[in-house]
Amino acid sequence: EQNLRETLPLTGKKIIVTAGGTREPIDPVRFIGNRSSGKMGIAIARAAKRAGADVCLIYGSISVALPKGIRLIHAETTEKMLSAVQEEFPKADALIMAAAVADWRLKKVADQKIKKSMDQANLDLSLVKTPDILKTVSKNKRKDQLVIGFAAETNDLLKNAQRKLKEKGADYIIANNVSTDSFGSDEDKIFILGQGKPVFELPRMKKTKVADKIVNLLQKSLFIR
Ligand code: CTP
Ligand code: CA
């Protein structure tokens, strides 16, 4: 058993994967959320574990089953996900940010349920930007650490993904078009963008296969540094 474990490509590597969507509370019963199912991130966590890695999955709101035999940390809000990632990252070799992180939170969360008073037709919510987890972590990472982010786009996929690669400072950005499929789907079509590397296009395939491709990328990148 020991020999078998030692031959796996990611044995001894500690990988953090984020999955699902973060939720920002409005009041005790309501929140702002998104359509992320968590499928992609969970598939990556599973694939990394199969490759022998010590995986930690930090997850928000998901609509699929959690994987077995993987260390799990739940993070409801963006703030909580940032804290969890910052706590785990110093011990890790790589971070894969597959989570759909909420970009905005309420400026002030109501302590009590907001009532729909009869004389009021509108409700204005004031929002403030959440911290960018990927950017924060990429900026402070060690040279021997690898950070992979995603770019979820409905238009100008490669242009927007290139800008994210540059601005966030991640080693790689996995670009996918979220207007055609992605959310909730079992399939995905991605482009891999790396710092100073040509864009690599993959054909549409099952998310489980995409996860294997991302784990391959992880293996190559972690061992040639
Ligand atoms: N991300 C993050 N923290 C945020 C927002 C996004 O870490 N507050 C990460 C996501 O997990 C993903 C990458 O950044 O890996 C890109 O997310 P995306 O929503 O596509 O891009 P944004 O930078 O948030 O820009 P926009 O939503 O305006 O396209
Ligand atoms: Ca966003």
Side-chain angles (χ1 to χ4, degrees), residues 172-211:
Y172 290 96
I173 289 284
I174 311 296
N176 65 340
N177 190 321
V178 289
S179 60
T180 49
D181 49 25
S182 267
F183 288 122
S185 164
D186 286 327
E187 289 188 346
D188 214 347
K189 170 167 176 54
I190 62 159
F191 293 83
I192 301 176
L193 287 73
Q195 300 285 355
K197 295 195 175 67
V199 176
F200 186 60
E201 178 176 7
L202 279 85
R204 175 174 306 280
M205 59 180 80
K206 287 247 147 58
K207 280 183 178 175
T208 48
K209 288 271 178 264
V210 173

mmCIF file of all heavy atoms in Angstrom, residues 172-211:
data_model
loop_
_atom_site.group_PDB
_atom_site.id
_atom_site.type_symbol
_atom_site.label_atom_id
_atom_site.label_comp_id
_atom_site.label_asym_id
_atom_site.label_seq_id
_atom_site.Cartn_x
_atom_site.Cartn_y
_atom_site.Cartn_z
ATOM 1 N N TYR A 172 -2.182 30.579 -13.494
ATOM 2 C CA TYR A 172 -3.053 30.176 -14.600
ATOM 3 C C TYR A 172 -4.476 30.667 -14.357
ATOM 4 O O TYR A 172 -4.932 30.754 -13.205
ATOM 5 C CB TYR A 172 -3.118 28.646 -14.733
ATOM 6 C CG TYR A 172 -1.829 28.035 -15.221
ATOM 7 C CD1 TYR A 172 -0.901 27.519 -14.316
ATOM 8 C CD2 TYR A 172 -1.538 27.968 -16.580
ATOM 9 C CE1 TYR A 172 0.293 26.960 -14.749
ATOM 10 C CE2 TYR A 172 -0.343 27.404 -17.023
ATOM 11 C CZ TYR A 172 0.561 26.905 -16.111
ATOM 12 O OH TYR A 172 1.740 26.360 -16.555
ATOM 13 N N ILE A 173 -5.178 30.924 -15.469
ATOM 14 C CA ILE A 173 -6.621 31.200 -15.403
ATOM 15 C C ILE A 173 -7.307 30.206 -16.341
ATOM 16 O O ILE A 173 -6.893 30.027 -17.492
ATOM 17 C CB ILE A 173 -6.951 32.655 -15.845
ATOM 18 C CG1 ILE A 173 -6.483 33.688 -14.811
ATOM 19 C CG2 ILE A 173 -8.454 32.813 -16.137
ATOM 20 C CD1 ILE A 173 -7.325 33.825 -13.548
ATOM 21 N N ILE A 174 -8.309 29.531 -15.811
ATOM 22 C CA ILE A 174 -9.120 28.628 -16.614
ATOM 23 C C ILE A 174 -10.343 29.439 -17.059
ATOM 24 O O ILE A 174 -11.160 29.839 -16.218
ATOM 25 C CB ILE A 174 -9.606 27.412 -15.784
ATOM 26 C CG1 ILE A 174 -8.452 26.744 -15.007
ATOM 27 C CG2 ILE A 174 -10.367 26.408 -16.663
ATOM 28 C CD1 ILE A 174 -7.363 26.128 -15.830
ATOM 29 N N ALA A 175 -10.424 29.697 -18.366
ATOM 30 C CA ALA A 175 -11.521 30.535 -18.873
ATOM 31 C C ALA A 175 -12.681 29.672 -19.327
ATOM 32 O O ALA A 175 -12.479 28.710 -20.070
ATOM 33 C CB ALA A 175 -11.010 31.391 -20.025
ATOM 34 N N ASN A 176 -13.871 29.988 -18.876
ATOM 35 C CA ASN A 176 -15.043 29.291 -19.407
ATOM 36 C C ASN A 176 -16.220 30.222 -19.610
ATOM 37 O O ASN A 176 -16.371 31.219 -18.932
ATOM 38 C CB ASN A 176 -15.416 28.053 -18.573
ATOM 39 C CG ASN A 176 -15.867 28.401 -17.178
ATOM 40 O OD1 ASN A 176 -15.580 29.474 -16.683
ATOM 41 N ND2 ASN A 176 -16.573 27.503 -16.550
ATOM 42 N N ASN A 177 -17.010 29.861 -20.627
ATOM 43 C CA ASN A 177 -18.142 30.679 -21.008
ATOM 44 C C ASN A 177 -19.360 30.241 -20.213
ATOM 45 O O ASN A 177 -19.833 29.127 -20.363
ATOM 46 C CB ASN A 177 -18.383 30.476 -22.513
ATOM 47 C CG ASN A 177 -19.379 31.458 -23.053
ATOM 48 O OD1 ASN A 177 -20.361 31.774 -22.395
ATOM 49 N ND2 ASN A 177 -19.131 31.946 -24.240
ATOM 50 N N VAL A 178 -19.854 31.110 -19.364
ATOM 51 C CA VAL A 178 -20.976 30.717 -18.489
ATOM 52 C C VAL A 178 -22.341 31.058 -19.075
ATOM 53 O O VAL A 178 -23.356 30.843 -18.443
ATOM 54 C CB VAL A 178 -20.854 31.321 -17.072
ATOM 55 C CG1 VAL A 178 -19.731 30.653 -16.300
ATOM 56 C CG2 VAL A 178 -20.670 32.827 -17.114
ATOM 57 N N SER A 179 -22.363 31.597 -20.305
ATOM 58 C CA SER A 179 -23.692 31.875 -20.879
ATOM 59 C C SER A 179 -24.232 30.631 -21.580
ATOM 60 O O SER A 179 -25.431 30.397 -21.614
ATOM 61 C CB SER A 179 -23.637 33.049 -21.845
ATOM 62 O OG SER A 179 -22.762 32.770 -22.903
ATOM 63 N N THR A 180 -23.312 29.790 -22.120
ATOM 64 C CA THR A 180 -23.785 28.605 -22.838
ATOM 65 C C THR A 180 -24.043 27.415 -21.912
ATOM 66 O O THR A 180 -25.055 26.758 -22.022
ATOM 67 C CB THR A 180 -22.767 28.166 -23.917
ATOM 68 O OG1 THR A 180 -21.478 28.118 -23.320
ATOM 69 C CG2 THR A 180 -22.755 29.118 -25.080
ATOM 70 N N ASP A 181 -23.105 27.159 -20.982
ATOM 71 C CA ASP A 181 -23.327 25.998 -20.121
ATOM 72 C C ASP A 181 -22.832 26.278 -18.711
ATOM 73 O O ASP A 181 -23.281 27.228 -18.078
ATOM 74 C CB ASP A 181 -22.656 24.745 -20.699
ATOM 75 C CG ASP A 181 -21.205 24.980 -21.090
ATOM 76 O OD1 ASP A 181 -20.576 25.876 -20.526
ATOM 77 O OD2 ASP A 181 -20.725 24.257 -21.959
ATOM 78 N N SER A 182 -21.945 25.470 -18.257
ATOM 79 C CA SER A 182 -21.285 25.640 -16.961
ATOM 80 C C SER A 182 -22.156 25.440 -15.738
ATOM 81 O O SER A 182 -22.164 24.386 -15.155
ATOM 82 C CB SER A 182 -20.631 27.007 -16.857
ATOM 83 O OG SER A 182 -19.323 26.898 -17.256
ATOM 84 N N PHE A 183 -22.903 26.469 -15.344
ATOM 85 C CA PHE A 183 -23.622 26.376 -14.079
ATOM 86 C C PHE A 183 -24.584 25.183 -14.069
ATOM 87 O O PHE A 183 -25.527 25.129 -14.854
ATOM 88 C CB PHE A 183 -24.369 27.674 -13.773
ATOM 89 C CG PHE A 183 -23.444 28.786 -13.390
ATOM 90 C CD1 PHE A 183 -23.427 29.972 -14.104
ATOM 91 C CD2 PHE A 183 -22.571 28.640 -12.319
ATOM 92 C CE1 PHE A 183 -22.568 31.006 -13.741
ATOM 93 C CE2 PHE A 183 -21.704 29.663 -11.962
ATOM 94 C CZ PHE A 183 -21.701 30.842 -12.673
ATOM 95 N N GLY A 184 -24.301 24.242 -13.193
ATOM 96 C CA GLY A 184 -25.170 23.088 -13.041
ATOM 97 C C GLY A 184 -24.920 22.008 -14.082
ATOM 98 O O GLY A 184 -25.339 20.874 -13.915
ATOM 99 N N SER A 185 -24.220 22.349 -15.165
ATOM 100 C CA SER A 185 -23.983 21.382 -16.235
ATOM 101 C C SER A 185 -22.923 20.353 -15.840
ATOM 102 O O SER A 185 -22.112 20.589 -14.954
ATOM 103 C CB SER A 185 -23.536 22.128 -17.491
ATOM 104 O OG SER A 185 -22.956 21.244 -18.416
ATOM 105 N N ASP A 186 -22.940 19.197 -16.532
ATOM 106 C CA ASP A 186 -21.918 18.179 -16.294
ATOM 107 C C ASP A 186 -20.742 18.354 -17.241
ATOM 108 O O ASP A 186 -19.759 17.646 -17.145
ATOM 109 C CB ASP A 186 -22.506 16.785 -16.483
ATOM 110 C CG ASP A 186 -23.400 16.405 -15.317
ATOM 111 O OD1 ASP A 186 -23.101 16.826 -14.184
ATOM 112 O OD2 ASP A 186 -24.396 15.716 -15.553
ATOM 113 N N GLU A 187 -20.877 19.278 -18.200
ATOM 114 C CA GLU A 187 -19.822 19.482 -19.195
ATOM 115 C C GLU A 187 -19.313 20.914 -19.167
ATOM 116 O O GLU A 187 -19.980 21.817 -18.655
ATOM 117 C CB GLU A 187 -20.366 19.182 -20.601
ATOM 118 C CG GLU A 187 -20.617 17.716 -20.837
ATOM 119 C CD GLU A 187 -20.952 17.428 -22.280
ATOM 120 O OE1 GLU A 187 -21.244 18.378 -23.033
ATOM 121 O OE2 GLU A 187 -20.895 16.254 -22.661
ATOM 122 N N ASP A 188 -18.143 21.077 -19.750
ATOM 123 C CA ASP A 188 -17.548 22.397 -19.794
ATOM 124 C C ASP A 188 -16.586 22.467 -20.966
ATOM 125 O O ASP A 188 -16.014 21.462 -21.368
ATOM 126 C CB ASP A 188 -16.762 22.641 -18.487
ATOM 127 C CG ASP A 188 -16.810 24.093 -18.061
ATOM 128 O OD1 ASP A 188 -17.229 24.946 -18.873
ATOM 129 O OD2 ASP A 188 -16.425 24.373 -16.919
ATOM 130 N N LYS A 189 -16.436 23.670 -21.515
ATOM 131 C CA LYS A 189 -15.398 23.893 -22.527
ATOM 132 C C LYS A 189 -14.508 25.001 -21.997
ATOM 133 O O LYS A 189 -14.975 26.072 -21.655
ATOM 134 C CB LYS A 189 -16.024 24.323 -23.853
ATOM 135 C CG LYS A 189 -14.964 24.774 -24.819
ATOM 136 C CD LYS A 189 -15.432 24.917 -26.239
ATOM 137 C CE LYS A 189 -14.308 25.470 -27.103
ATOM 138 N NZ LYS A 189 -13.063 24.711 -27.035
ATOM 139 N N ILE A 190 -13.221 24.684 -21.892
ATOM 140 C CA ILE A 190 -12.321 25.665 -21.270
ATOM 141 C C ILE A 190 -11.125 26.032 -22.151
ATOM 142 O O ILE A 190 -10.775 25.314 -23.092
ATOM 143 C CB ILE A 190 -11.775 25.150 -19.912
ATOM 144 C CG1 ILE A 190 -10.936 23.871 -20.108
ATOM 145 C CG2 ILE A 190 -12.897 24.925 -18.912
ATOM 146 C CD1 ILE A 190 -9.966 23.579 -18.975
ATOM 147 N N PHE A 191 -10.523 27.150 -21.796
ATOM 148 C CA PHE A 191 -9.244 27.587 -22.347
ATOM 149 C C PHE A 191 -8.324 27.747 -21.147
ATOM 150 O O PHE A 191 -8.753 28.244 -20.111
ATOM 151 C CB PHE A 191 -9.378 28.940 -23.038
ATOM 152 C CG PHE A 191 -10.221 28.922 -24.285
ATOM 153 C CD1 PHE A 191 -11.607 28.996 -24.198
ATOM 154 C CD2 PHE A 191 -9.626 28.845 -25.542
ATOM 155 C CE1 PHE A 191 -12.395 28.993 -25.347
ATOM 156 C CE2 PHE A 191 -10.409 28.846 -26.683
ATOM 157 C CZ PHE A 191 -11.799 28.916 -26.600
ATOM 158 N N ILE A 192 -7.071 27.303 -21.295
ATOM 159 C CA ILE A 192 -6.108 27.491 -20.210
ATOM 160 C C ILE A 192 -5.158 28.617 -20.589
ATOM 161 O O ILE A 192 -4.514 28.568 -21.640
ATOM 162 C CB ILE A 192 -5.317 26.191 -19.922
ATOM 163 C CG1 ILE A 192 -6.282 25.057 -19.545
ATOM 164 C CG2 ILE A 192 -4.281 26.421 -18.806
ATOM 165 C CD1 ILE A 192 -5.610 23.706 -19.333
ATOM 166 N N LEU A 193 -5.103 29.644 -19.733
ATOM 167 C CA LEU A 193 -4.212 30.784 -19.950
ATOM 168 C C LEU A 193 -3.155 30.795 -18.860
ATOM 169 O O LEU A 193 -3.493 30.758 -17.676
ATOM 170 C CB LEU A 193 -4.998 32.094 -19.893
ATOM 171 C CG LEU A 193 -5.915 32.451 -21.073
ATOM 172 C CD1 LEU A 193 -7.176 31.593 -21.093
ATOM 173 C CD2 LEU A 193 -6.313 33.919 -20.985
ATOM 174 N N GLY A 194 -1.884 30.808 -19.263
ATOM 175 C CA GLY A 194 -0.796 30.840 -18.284
ATOM 176 C C GLY A 194 0.081 32.053 -18.521
ATOM 177 O O GLY A 194 0.170 32.531 -19.658
ATOM 178 N N GLN A 195 0.734 32.543 -17.470
ATOM 179 C CA GLN A 195 1.625 33.699 -17.592
ATOM 180 C C GLN A 195 2.698 33.401 -18.640
ATOM 181 O O GLN A 195 3.432 32.426 -18.502
ATOM 182 C CB GLN A 195 2.293 34.008 -16.237
ATOM 183 C CG GLN A 195 1.335 34.327 -15.120
ATOM 184 C CD GLN A 195 0.722 35.728 -15.225
ATOM 185 O OE1 GLN A 195 1.071 36.528 -16.085
ATOM 186 N NE2 GLN A 195 -0.207 36.013 -14.316
ATOM 187 N N GLY A 196 2.763 34.216 -19.664
ATOM 188 C CA GLY A 196 3.769 34.074 -20.709
ATOM 189 C C GLY A 196 3.639 32.813 -21.549
ATOM 190 O O GLY A 196 4.606 32.374 -22.161
ATOM 191 N N LYS A 197 2.442 32.215 -21.562
ATOM 192 C CA LYS A 197 2.258 30.977 -22.336
ATOM 193 C C LYS A 197 1.166 31.165 -23.387
ATOM 194 O O LYS A 197 0.257 31.971 -23.190
ATOM 195 C CB LYS A 197 1.868 29.840 -21.386
ATOM 196 C CG LYS A 197 2.966 29.482 -20.396
ATOM 197 C CD LYS A 197 2.698 28.136 -19.733
ATOM 198 C CE LYS A 197 3.852 27.731 -18.840
ATOM 199 N NZ LYS A 197 4.032 28.594 -17.658
ATOM 200 N N PRO A 198 1.241 30.402 -24.477
ATOM 201 C CA PRO A 198 0.166 30.511 -25.460
ATOM 202 C C PRO A 198 -1.149 29.932 -24.895
ATOM 203 O O PRO A 198 -1.110 29.054 -24.041
ATOM 204 C CB PRO A 198 0.670 29.669 -26.638
ATOM 205 C CG PRO A 198 1.723 28.785 -26.088
ATOM 206 C CD PRO A 198 2.298 29.471 -24.900
ATOM 207 N N VAL A 199 -2.267 30.477 -25.365
ATOM 208 C CA VAL A 199 -3.581 29.997 -24.902
ATOM 209 C C VAL A 199 -3.784 28.561 -25.365
ATOM 210 O O VAL A 199 -3.494 28.213 -26.505
ATOM 211 C CB VAL A 199 -4.709 30.899 -25.468
ATOM 212 C CG1 VAL A 199 -6.080 30.358 -25.084
ATOM 213 C CG2 VAL A 199 -4.541 32.331 -24.977
ATOM 214 N N PHE A 200 -4.258 27.725 -24.469
ATOM 215 C CA PHE A 200 -4.477 26.318 -24.779
ATOM 216 C C PHE A 200 -5.976 26.031 -24.750
ATOM 217 O O PHE A 200 -6.633 26.224 -23.728
ATOM 218 C CB PHE A 200 -3.736 25.464 -23.734
ATOM 219 C CG PHE A 200 -3.747 23.999 -24.015
ATOM 220 C CD1 PHE A 200 -3.200 23.498 -25.195
ATOM 221 C CD2 PHE A 200 -4.303 23.112 -23.103
ATOM 222 C CE1 PHE A 200 -3.210 22.128 -25.457
ATOM 223 C CE2 PHE A 200 -4.322 21.732 -23.357
ATOM 224 C CZ PHE A 200 -3.779 21.257 -24.538
ATOM 225 N N GLU A 201 -6.514 25.623 -25.905
ATOM 226 C CA GLU A 201 -7.955 25.384 -26.004
ATOM 227 C C GLU A 201 -8.262 23.899 -25.868
ATOM 228 O O GLU A 201 -7.635 23.068 -26.521
ATOM 229 C CB GLU A 201 -8.477 25.898 -27.350
ATOM 230 C CG GLU A 201 -9.963 25.643 -27.543
ATOM 231 C CD GLU A 201 -10.536 26.235 -28.823
ATOM 232 O OE1 GLU A 201 -9.755 26.751 -29.653
ATOM 233 O OE2 GLU A 201 -11.764 26.165 -28.994
ATOM 234 N N LEU A 202 -9.220 23.567 -25.044
ATOM 235 C CA LEU A 202 -9.641 22.172 -24.907
ATOM 236 C C LEU A 202 -11.028 21.991 -25.507
ATOM 237 O O LEU A 202 -11.854 22.904 -25.446
ATOM 238 C CB LEU A 202 -9.669 21.748 -23.433
ATOM 239 C CG LEU A 202 -8.325 21.367 -22.817
ATOM 240 C CD1 LEU A 202 -7.597 22.594 -22.317
ATOM 241 C CD2 LEU A 202 -8.541 20.397 -21.670
ATOM 242 N N PRO A 203 -11.305 20.823 -26.064
ATOM 243 C CA PRO A 203 -12.657 20.585 -26.581
ATOM 244 C C PRO A 203 -13.648 20.445 -25.426
ATOM 245 O O PRO A 203 -13.235 20.212 -24.282
ATOM 246 C CB PRO A 203 -12.510 19.268 -27.339
ATOM 247 C CG PRO A 203 -11.344 18.585 -26.732
ATOM 248 C CD PRO A 203 -10.413 19.668 -26.274
ATOM 249 N N ARG A 204 -14.937 20.586 -25.721
ATOM 250 C CA ARG A 204 -15.950 20.391 -24.691
ATOM 251 C C ARG A 204 -15.851 18.970 -24.138
ATOM 252 O O ARG A 204 -15.690 18.011 -24.894
ATOM 253 C CB ARG A 204 -17.346 20.590 -25.311
ATOM 254 C CG ARG A 204 -18.524 20.304 -24.392
ATOM 255 C CD ARG A 204 -19.821 20.683 -25.077
ATOM 256 N NE ARG A 204 -19.741 22.077 -25.531
ATOM 257 C CZ ARG A 204 -19.936 23.123 -24.739
ATOM 258 N NH1 ARG A 204 -20.263 22.944 -23.480
ATOM 259 N NH2 ARG A 204 -19.820 24.339 -25.226
ATOM 260 N N MET A 205 -15.902 18.841 -22.837
ATOM 261 C CA MET A 205 -15.803 17.509 -22.224
ATOM 262 C C MET A 205 -16.487 17.501 -20.868
ATOM 263 O O MET A 205 -16.861 18.553 -20.342
ATOM 264 C CB MET A 205 -14.337 17.087 -22.101
ATOM 265 C CG MET A 205 -13.474 18.026 -21.280
ATOM 266 S SD MET A 205 -11.758 17.481 -21.179
ATOM 267 C CE MET A 205 -11.123 18.030 -22.738
ATOM 268 N N LYS A 206 -16.659 16.337 -20.281
ATOM 269 C CA LYS A 206 -17.248 16.201 -18.942
ATOM 270 C C LYS A 206 -16.405 16.969 -17.928
ATOM 271 O O LYS A 206 -15.178 16.994 -18.017
ATOM 272 C CB LYS A 206 -17.265 14.722 -18.537
ATOM 273 C CG LYS A 206 -18.316 13.911 -19.283
ATOM 274 C CD LYS A 206 -19.399 13.438 -18.320
ATOM 275 C CE LYS A 206 -20.783 13.341 -18.954
ATOM 276 N NZ LYS A 206 -20.871 12.470 -20.112
ATOM 277 N N LYS A 207 -17.066 17.552 -16.932
ATOM 278 C CA LYS A 207 -16.342 18.305 -15.904
ATOM 279 C C LYS A 207 -15.341 17.413 -15.161
ATOM 280 O O LYS A 207 -14.288 17.880 -14.733
ATOM 281 C CB LYS A 207 -17.318 18.944 -14.903
ATOM 282 C CG LYS A 207 -17.932 20.225 -15.427
ATOM 283 C CD LYS A 207 -18.839 20.917 -14.428
ATOM 284 C CE LYS A 207 -19.359 22.223 -15.036
ATOM 285 N NZ LYS A 207 -20.352 22.904 -14.183
ATOM 286 N N THR A 208 -15.658 16.125 -15.059
ATOM 287 C CA THR A 208 -14.717 15.210 -14.404
ATOM 288 C C THR A 208 -13.421 15.098 -15.225
ATOM 289 O O THR A 208 -12.336 14.987 -14.672
ATOM 290 C CB THR A 208 -15.342 13.809 -14.227
ATOM 291 O OG1 THR A 208 -15.915 13.412 -15.468
ATOM 292 C CG2 THR A 208 -16.414 13.806 -13.160
ATOM 293 N N LYS A 209 -13.572 15.157 -16.569
ATOM 294 C CA LYS A 209 -12.390 15.118 -17.455
ATOM 295 C C LYS A 209 -11.627 16.436 -17.380
ATOM 296 O O LYS A 209 -10.396 16.453 -17.368
ATOM 297 C CB LYS A 209 -12.815 14.868 -18.911
ATOM 298 C CG LYS A 209 -13.283 13.451 -19.176
ATOM 299 C CD LYS A 209 -12.101 12.562 -19.577
ATOM 300 C CE LYS A 209 -12.514 11.129 -19.815
ATOM 301 N NZ LYS A 209 -12.324 10.250 -18.676
ATOM 302 N N VAL A 210 -12.378 17.539 -17.339
ATOM 303 C CA VAL A 210 -11.736 18.856 -17.198
ATOM 304 C C VAL A 210 -10.912 18.861 -15.908
ATOM 305 O O VAL A 210 -9.775 19.348 -15.881
ATOM 306 C CB VAL A 210 -12.789 19.993 -17.171
ATOM 307 C CG1 VAL A 210 -12.123 21.330 -16.840
ATOM 308 C CG2 VAL A 210 -13.515 20.097 -18.503
ATOM 309 N N ALA A 211 -11.474 18.285 -14.857
ATOM 310 C CA ALA A 211 -10.780 18.218 -13.558
ATOM 311 C C ALA A 211 -9.464 17.465 -13.699
ATOM 312 O O ALA A 211 -8.440 17.886 -13.152
ATOM 313 C CB ALA A 211 -11.678 17.550 -12.523
#
